[in-house]
Amino acid sequence: MKISLPIRMIAIIKILHTLFICFISLISFSQVKKAPAYPLIAHDPYFSIWSFNDQLTAEPTRHWTGAENSLHGTITVDGKPYTFLGQPITDASIVIPTGSEAQVNVHYTFEKPQANWNTETFSSNSWQTGPAPLGGEVGSATAKTKWDSKEVWMVRDFNLDKIPEGKLQLIIFYDDDVEVYLNGVLAYQCGPCYVSDYVMRDVSDEATKALKVGKNRMSIHCTNPQGPGFIDVGLISRTVAPKGEIAIQKSLTVTATQTKYEFSAGEIDLSLLFTSPLLLDELEVLSRPASYITYAVKSNDGKSHDVKLDLQAAGQIATNNSIQAVYDNFDDGKLSIASAGTKDQPILIRKGDNVRIDWGYLYLATPEKFQAKRLANNRLTSSFDFGKVNDQAVESHSILAYDDIYSVQYFGKNLKAWWRRDEGMTPNQLLHDAEKDYERLMKKCEVFDKNLFVDATKAGGETYAELCAMAYRQAIAAHKVVAKPDGSLLFFSKENFSNGSIGTVDVTYPSAPLFLLYNIELMKGMLEFIFEYSESKRWTKPFAAHDLGTYPIANGQTYPEDMPVEECGNMIILTTAIADREGNADYARKHWATLTTWVEYLKREGFDPANQLCTDDFAGHLARNTNLSIKSIVAMAGYGKLARMLGNQTAANEYTALAKSMAGKWMEMANDGDHYTLAFGANNTWSQKYNLVWDKILDLKIFPTEVAEKEIAFYLKHQEKFGLPLDSRKTYTKSDWILWTATLAASQKDFEAIINPVYKYATETPTRVPLSDWHETINGKQVGFQARSVVGGYFIKMLKEKK
């Protein structure tokens, strides 16, 4: 039968489409080979373990803050051990405790002493006496002795029965500059500097040698030029095990939910796979803080070899900086389980930014065929005896999990994690559920990761897809899913390394595209507490709050300054985006009175903003901010769209017309020839107009297309090696906003031209930390921030193309 030309063409198109899908599927197997840091265990702001190096054995694994959260793995082949993961976990012991761990009395003075104050023969008897720490309230730490002057000098005498073995370290909290002496010899000095919690600092070799059996003296000087000060010092000793031979790392691949390594250890090949099943369509699994570590071993020389494998997890993972933890281990017939946690269990006491959890329990579980147990005095271990291994791969896995008991305090009430909301749910049940789901979730994660990469490649190209894969786990794991007493869901973010705020609205805003794309209920859970804050009358201002406190305490805003236009605009735009994705405005209806209060504020104050902060608060206050004005205009248009969906035609017409009128006025006032200004009236300035992207995504049609076209053409001429600067004031940038700005581009070519320098930053930055969203465009170095949820904003292009 003769085939007509149109049918033949259709057949060819179908074949080409199939070939394209096959090609994309092949791409998905390569995925990310290089990132600033690599997620191993990623669940929430506390349960977080990363590799900060391309080589998994080059340094200890770390919490996203950089503090050690050590995992150590060894494989033994025919009796010969090889390290494949991290560094040997050290055995630590307290030499002298800090004042936060014990009753420690010191001599101190606020007056400058004699020059020999730091020697062991100096008499401090005339000084005051009191318990350490000294200072005020800094983060979650509170001093026992008040110090509010600029400087303090301290002397602490202690006795040693023997000289400590191993490497000496200070456990120290200093705010600000500090110098510490042991028996008159400088042990540690830092300035100008400060820390916001207890940290470990090495003692100099000279000071270590100055210690002696019997009486010793620690002398401390701390300077605090402004704000509350703090000083507390203890001393520990660490014994480091020998490293032994290192397994050869052959490859590293990162996908959305998995990080995979390939090693050779002599005659055995090892595949090591870390899986955190953060599947946004399975809320129970997403909220379950349990990751899998999978091991597959096989011979590479055609012979059989005796193979054993050990995974160790430091008890330190369950502490902030303490070296003390309580351990347990037991078998229940199906799993071998070991656990670790602090003795005191100070649930929801510690808050702040650069902190780790010090309550709840870490669990390491191993299938019944093998064994999990406490090993030595500060680690858990999974042990696997694979017996004789040939060229047929043998596989097993460990489960690493964390039960924080209570996750967040919400207006005075401690809330449990979503997975723990039912009274019958226990950590033991969690581990058994995770074990039962192992095979299913491993398959589903593999399929999801491939599909995400395919979808992202279709939306923005392979480079864009790699950026999304890098961002996925980080964006989700900067949050915690919790349950209210009525069974409803809240989804709290933490402002990682920006100030530690919880539920910050202008962090929710850039993070939103990922959750709008994959789970609307989580998106609602990121807004609900801000609505409740206003509607409960705890927050009485006519604009939206900035945050709900300092993580994990959500009892009300703690950020010292408001962002009125910023946060009103964010809340209205995101509520509109929810309605747009759901096809109805039911969620907006629930909060209509509050939305109306906020839009009325924008109507009065939003078009030409007063001198105030916006989400880019690190850049300082700015009056007449044109990008902030766009946000206000788009929010008013969004409110008009919501009103129309709710059948309120009067409000719909009013706010749509108002937004269009303001857009026209904006174009006149911001016009600066070939671009638009940073601020009204500020000629020869410019900025990224990333807020304009919602006009396109929400199909509001408020601004003419020429605005985006003019801006994109200008941006393409002003890029630097590692990206487009945020604005004309500095050369630094925000990578999330670059992705939003690029999404304004009308062509794929221009989109890729704008995002490619971000990819270059992500793969070439010299700053090896979890992906920072604030970096220098000249040299690719981190300026600040890391491991933040805002990289969820990278999914903006996928969200736009999903329309």
Side-chain angles (χ1 to χ4, degrees), residues 16-134:
L16 290 174
H17 176 74
T18 301
L19 290 172
F20 175 75
I21 295 299
C22 291
F23 171 70
I24 293 295
S25 297
L26 287 173
I27 289 175
S28 72
F29 283 97
S30 60
Q31 301 233 6
V32 178
K33 303 292 186 183
K34 182 72 181 291
Y38 305 95
L40 307 179
I41 308 294
H43 287 279
D44 59 46
Y46 289 136
F47 193 29
S48 170
I49 304 176
W50 294 68
S51 171
F52 281 33
N53 198 288
D54 297 328
Q55 296 294 315
L56 189 57
T57 56
E59 58 180 280
T61 56
R62 302 182 183 277
H63 186 261
W64 65 261
T65 58
E68 288 186 22
N69 263 2
S70 288
L71 299 176
H72 182 234
T74 57
I75 183 170
T76 302
V77 180
D78 295 332
K80 183 176 181 179
Y82 299 83
T83 294
F84 64 84
L85 168 59
Q87 298 277 293
I89 297 171
T90 58
D91 292 325
S93 58
I94 293 176
V95 178
I96 58 172
T98 64
S100 67
E101 296 172 316
Q103 183 68 21
V104 175
N105 289 318
V106 298
H107 289 159
Y108 65 92
T109 182
F110 304 131
E111 303 296 330
K112 187 173 182 178
Q114 298 170 217
N116 67 336
W117 71 273
N118 57 358
T119 64
E120 58 182 317
T121 58
F122 175 76
S123 175
S124 60
N125 291 336
S126 63
W127 292 9
Q128 299 181 68
T129 302
L134 276 69

Side-chain angles (χ1 to χ4, degrees), residues 64-370:
W64 65 261
T65 58
E68 288 186 22
N69 263 2
S70 288
L71 299 176
H72 182 234
T74 57
I75 183 170
T76 302
V77 180
D78 295 332
K80 183 176 181 179
Y82 299 83
T83 294
F84 64 84
L85 168 59
Q87 298 277 293
I89 297 171
T90 58
D91 292 325
S93 58
I94 293 176
V95 178
I96 58 172
T98 64
S100 67
E101 296 172 316
Q103 183 68 21
V104 175
N105 289 318
V106 298
H107 289 159
Y108 65 92
T109 182
F110 304 131
E111 303 296 330
K112 187 173 182 178
Q114 298 170 217
N116 67 336
W117 71 273
N118 57 358
T119 64
E120 58 182 317
T121 58
F122 175 76
S123 175
S124 60
N125 291 336
S126 63
W127 292 9
Q128 299 181 68
T129 302
L134 276 69
E137 183 174 345
V138 179
S140 60
T142 302
K144 296 178 181 178
T145 297
K146 185 177 180 180
W147 163 46
D148 55 9
S149 62
K150 183 179 179 181
E151 295 179 86
V152 65
W153 290 260
M154 297 166 50
V155 166
R156 176 180 179 181
D157 292 328
F158 60 95
N159 289 296
L160 293 178
D161 295 330
K162 62 178 181 178
I163 302 299
E165 297 180 0
K167 179 65 178 175
L168 282 181
Q169 290 185 312
L170 302 175
I171 307 180
I172 184 168
F173 188 153
Y174 52 93
D175 187 351
D176 287 1
D177 308 350
V178 69
E179 49 186 321
V180 181
Y181 299 84
L182 291 174
N183 294 334
V185 179
L186 184 64
Y188 176 73
Q189 184 176 33
C190 185
C193 61
Y194 71 95
V195 294
S196 55
D197 208 336
Y198 289 88
V199 295
M200 309 293 186
R201 295 291 185 258
D202 289 344
V203 174
S204 69
D205 292 341
E206 294 78 10
T208 299
K209 293 175 183 176
L211 289 178
K212 58 191 178 183
V213 174
K215 183 179 178 181
N216 292 266
R217 171 168 288 187
M218 177 183 286
S219 306
I220 306 156
H221 174 216
C222 189
T223 303
N224 181 56
Q226 60 185 4
F230 199 90
I231 183 65
D232 192 19
V233 189
L235 193 63
I236 66 169
S237 175
R238 290 188 177 275
T239 303
V240 182
K243 290 184 180 180
E245 191 157 346
I246 304 298
I248 298 171
Q249 183 177 309
K250 298 189 295 183
S251 68
L252 162 60
T253 304
V254 177
T255 60
T257 65
Q258 298 183 318
T259 302
K260 184 175 184 179
Y261 297 86
E262 298 285 348
F263 295 93
S264 62
E267 297 81 14
I268 291 293
D269 288 341
L270 166 66
S271 292
L272 179 67
L273 180 63
F274 296 89
T275 304
S276 295
L278 303 183
L279 298 168
L280 289 167
D281 66 340
E282 287 199 43
L283 192 55
E284 296 300 327
V285 172
L286 174 73
S287 66
R288 181 193 297 161
S291 280
Y292 303 108
I293 306 173
T294 304
Y295 327 92
V297 294
K298 66 177 181 178
S299 169
N300 58 33
D301 67 352
K303 301 177 183 178
S304 294
H305 299 277
D306 187 68
V307 179
K308 295 180 174 66
L309 185 146
D310 288 290
L311 172 75
Q312 296 178 7
Q316 178 192 39
I317 297 169
T319 71
N320 180 48
N321 277 309
S322 174
I323 61 172
Q324 292 181 321
V326 176
Y327 296 83
D328 193 12
N329 52 270
F330 56 93
D331 296 322
D332 67 0
K334 294 183 179 179
L335 290 173
S336 180
I337 302 169
S339 65
T342 58
K343 180 180 179 180
D344 295 334
Q345 289 295 304
I347 296 174
L348 293 174
I349 299 300
R350 185 178 297 278
K351 62 181 179 179
D353 193 354
N354 185 11
V355 297
R356 275 68 46 197
I357 197 166
D358 57 1
W359 70 88
Y361 294 90
L362 173 71
Y363 291 88
L364 180 61
T366 305
E368 58 183 328
K369 181 180 177 182
F370 302 103

